[in-house]
Amino acid sequence: NLCQALLKGEVEQAFEEAHKLKGTTGNLNMDVFYHVVCPLVEALRNKNLKLARELFPAVEKSYKNVIAAICGS
């Protein structure tokens, strides 16, 4: 998964996971989440692991907000 790939420094795997997330959020019109994921994808596309790790907390927060909205928490 994306989090584990970032922790392990697996840039290619992290890019694939982030890119899938970008596509899914775009297809589902999750605009706020999509716009948070896009910079992460670009950082990973450019193999900038340091920047990707800095951007990840915002992605994780957006993910948790989506889950909370779906689950009603």
Side-chain angles (χ1 to χ4, degrees):
N1 76 30
L2 177 56
C3 183
Q4 291 301 314
L6 285 172
L7 287 173
K8 293 178 181 177
E10 298 172 349
V11 177
E12 293 297 326
Q13 182 65 35
F15 171 76
E16 289 178 24
E17 297 296 333
H19 196 265
K20 285 190 274 186
L21 188 57
K22 177 184 169 186
T24 300
T25 58
N27 287 337
L28 295 174
N29 292 320
M30 298 173 147
D31 294 334
V32 173
F33 197 2
Y34 175 83
H35 290 293
V36 172
V37 172
C38 285
L40 176 65
V41 171
E42 290 309 308
L44 291 165
R45 183 186 315 275
N46 293 316
K47 301 190 183 333
N48 189 338
L49 185 60
K50 181 180 184 294
L51 178 58
R53 286 177 172 161
E54 291 171 4
L55 294 169
F56 183 71
V59 172
E60 190 172 36
K61 181 179 178 185
S62 289
Y63 172 79
K64 289 177 180 178
N65 289 341
V66 169
I67 296 302
I70 291 170
C71 296
S73 314

